[in-house]
Amino acid sequence: MSSFTDRIRAAAPPSAVAAGLIAVTVGVTSSAALVFTAAKAAGAGPTEIGSWMLALGVGLAVTCVGLSLRYRTPVVTAWSTPGAALLATTLVGVPMGRAVGAFVFSALLILVTGVTGWFARAMDRIPVPLAAALLAGVLLRFGTGLFGTMHGDFAIAFPVFALYLLARRFLPRYAVLVALAGGVLASALAGGWRLAELRISLARPVFTAPDFDWRTLVSVGVPLFVVTMASQNLPGAAVLRNSGYDVPVSPLMTWTGAVNAVLAPFGAFGLNLAAITAAICTGEEAHPDRYRRYVAAVWAGVFYLCVGVFGATVASLLTAMPQALVLSLAGVGLLATIENSLATALSDKASREAAVVTFLATASGVTLLGIGSAFWGLLAGILTTVIAHTGRRGGPRPAAPAPAPPVAGHRPAADPSTPVPADPSAPVPADPSAPVPAGPVTSAPADGHPPTTGPR
C-alpha cells in the first residue's frame, strides 16, 4: 500500500499539479477569446470553433507530455497568442480552406527551422543576461497585475497574496496551491463566479482540406510564422535557458512544427514554446527538485487535453471565472521567476546596461510590423551591446604591471602561452646561484585554462 501511495505522490505531486493547472488556466483565459475571434473571422461556426479548440488541446497535450518525458525537462507549449491576434484581422474574408493552407505553411516553416538548426544557432549567440532580461520584461505585467488587481478587487487579490506569503513561510512547497484554494474561496464569497453561464458539451473534429493560395501564404502564413517565432518561441527558449535547462532547441522546433502541420486542417493554427505559462512550471513552486519539475509540464498537457475535449465548455467557463482570480494567481505563481530573472540580468556589470534596455523595451509592450515587444526588446539590447563594445579591442593596451605578486582576479592582457621576461629594473643578486626575481607569471596553468578567481 505504501509503495502504491509513493507512486501516486511521484506521479502527481500537489505542487506540480497545481502549477500545471495554473499554467493552463492563465494560458487559456488570457487568449482563448482571441482564438474564437480568429476562427469567426475565417467564417467558422460553433462546430468549427470547437474543432479548433480540440485540435489545439490535443496538439498541446502531445507536445507537453511527449517532450517533457523525452527530455525530463518542463517543456510547456502553447498556441500562438500573437498569431491569434494577427489572424483576427488578416483572416477576414479569407475562405477556411485558404486559412488552413496558411496554417500548414507556417507550421512547415517552423519545422524547417528545427531541422536546419537555424533557430538553435541564433539562440546560442544571445548573452545570458539579455535572455534573462527578456524573460523579466515579458513577465513584468503579470507581476504588476497582482497588485493592480487589488485596486478594484481587493477582496480577491489580497487573500491570494497574503495566503501565498504565509504558505511560503510555513508550507513553501504548497504555496501556490494554498493561494489557489484561497482565491477560489475568496472569489466565491465575493460573488465573482457566474455559474449560470456554464454549459458542458464536447467538441468534435472537423476536417478542412488546405488550399495553398500563394497570396494567402504570403499575407497570412509568413506573418504568422514570423510573429510565432519572434514573440513566442524566442522568449519560450529563453525561459528554459534562464531556468538552467540545457535542452536542445532544434528538436523542440521540429516536433512542434510537425504536430502543428498534422493538426492544422482541424484548426491548430499555431503551436509553439510557451513563455509565461512555462515560467510557472519551471519555478521552484512547481517542485522543490528541479529535476522533477517536468511533472508539472506533463500535468499541463493533461489539462490542455481536457480543454480541447471540452472546447465549448471552456468558452462558458471563461465567462464564469473572475478575471481578478486569474491575474492574482498568475502574479504569485511568477514572483520567484521574476526575481531570479532580474538577478541574472543584472549580475554582469559589463552587460547591465544592455540588460536594462532589453527589460524596459520588452516590458513596454511595443508592437511594430505586427511583431511583439519580446523581439524588439532583444534587438534593442543587442544593439546596445554592439555599440557599447565597438572599438574597445582596438584601444591601447594597459602598461605591464610592476614586478609584484599577481592581483587576485586579474587576468593579464598578454598571451598566456608566452612567458614574460624578468623585470630589467630588478636588482641583480650578489650570489650568482640565487634565483632572479621574475615578473608576474602569465603562463597557462597545467590544465590549460587561464587563471581566474571569478565565477565560471
Side-chain angles (χ1 to χ4, degrees):
M1 183 64 180
S2 60
S3 61
F4 176 77
T5 304
D6 293 339
R7 287 197 295 268
I8 292 296
R9 289 178 178 175
S15 58
V17 175
L21 177 59
I22 292 175
V24 173
T25 301
V26 172
V28 172
T29 54
S30 62
S31 60
L34 287 174
V35 177
F36 300 151
T37 304
K40 290 179 179 178
T47 304
E48 289 79 11
I49 292 176
S51 178
W52 280 40
M53 294 301 297
L54 177 61
L56 291 169
V58 170
L60 297 180
V62 169
T63 49
C64 281
V65 175
L67 293 174
S68 296
L69 291 177
R70 167 64 179 84
Y71 295 104
R72 290 297 191 268
T73 298
V75 180
V76 181
T77 55
W79 58 63
S80 177
T81 300
L86 173 73
L87 296 177
T89 57
T90 57
L91 288 184
V92 177
V94 177
M96 183 64 75
R98 293 185 179 181
V100 169
F103 301 165
V104 174
F105 182 64
S106 173
L108 292 177
L109 291 178
I110 295 176
L111 175 62
V112 168
T113 63
V115 173
T116 59
W118 169 82
F119 185 72
R121 289 193 294 271
M123 284 298 301
D124 288 339
R125 287 169 171 78
I126 298 176
V128 173
L130 267 62
L134 171 72
L135 176 59
V138 169
L139 302 181
L140 179 64
R141 67 185 180 93
F142 287 89
T144 57
L146 167 64
F147 302 99
T149 305
M150 293 185 187
H151 177 69
D153 295 279
F154 186 83
I156 297 176
F158 181 75
V160 171
F161 179 56
L163 288 172
Y164 171 79
L165 293 180
L166 290 173
R168 283 284 294 171
R169 173 63 180 86
F170 300 104
L171 297 169
R173 184 173 181 178
Y174 306 104
V176 177
L177 182 61
V178 171
L180 170 62
V184 171
L185 179 60
S187 59
L189 294 176
W193 289 80
R194 297 180 293 275
L195 298 179
E197 303 179 16
L198 184 61
R199 300 288 185 273
I200 299 178
S201 58
L202 299 177
R204 63 183 183 87
V206 177
F207 178 83
T208 301
D211 180 8
F212 297 101
D213 175 68
W214 71 269
R215 287 164 297 193
T216 307
L217 298 182
V218 173
S219 62
V220 179
V222 173
L224 178 60
F225 163 74
V226 172
V227 299
T228 299
M229 294 298 295
S231 301
Q232 293 278 176
N233 282 326
L234 181 62
V239 169
L240 293 173
R241 295 280 178 90
N242 191 58
S243 300
Y245 295 103
D246 191 21
V247 60
V249 178
S250 292
L252 305 185
M253 297 295 100
T254 301
W255 280 106
T256 53
V259 173
N260 191 173
V262 171
L263 295 174
F266 300 94
F269 62 90
L271 302 179
N272 46 251
L273 297 180
I276 297 168
T277 52
I280 296 175
C281 294
T282 58
E284 60 182 18
E285 287 82 3
H287 201 286
D289 183 1
R290 65 184 304 271
Y291 297 104
R292 294 285 299 167
R293 291 173 192 167
Y294 72 90
V295 179
V298 171
W299 277 102
V302 173
F303 290 125
Y304 269 126
L305 181 61
C306 297
V307 168
V309 172
F310 296 93
T313 305
V314 171
S316 60
L317 180 62
L318 296 180
T319 307
M321 180 179 295
Q323 187 66 13
L325 176 60
V326 177
L327 294 176
S328 301
L329 291 174
V332 298
L334 293 170
L335 279 178
T337 303
I338 295 174
E339 173 192 348
N340 294 334
S341 299
L342 289 175
T344 303
L346 302 178
S347 60
D348 184 8
K349 186 176 181 180
S351 305
R352 191 169 298 169
E353 182 181 22
V356 170
V357 170
T358 302
F359 169 72
L360 294 177
T362 303
S364 70
V366 61
T367 300
L368 299 174
L369 304 177
I371 302 176
S373 61
F375 174 79
W376 299 114
L378 180 61
L379 190 62
I382 293 175
L383 181 62
T384 303
T385 301
V386 171
I387 294 177
H389 292 83
T390 297
R392 287 192 175 182
R393 290 188 175 182
R397 293 178 178 267
V407 179
H410 174 71
R411 187 189 299 274
D415 184 356
S417 63
T418 304
V420 177
D423 184 6
S425 63
V428 178
D431 185 359
S433 64
V436 179
V441 178
T442 57
S443 57
D447 62 359
H449 296 285
T452 178
T453 58
R456 303 183 78 85

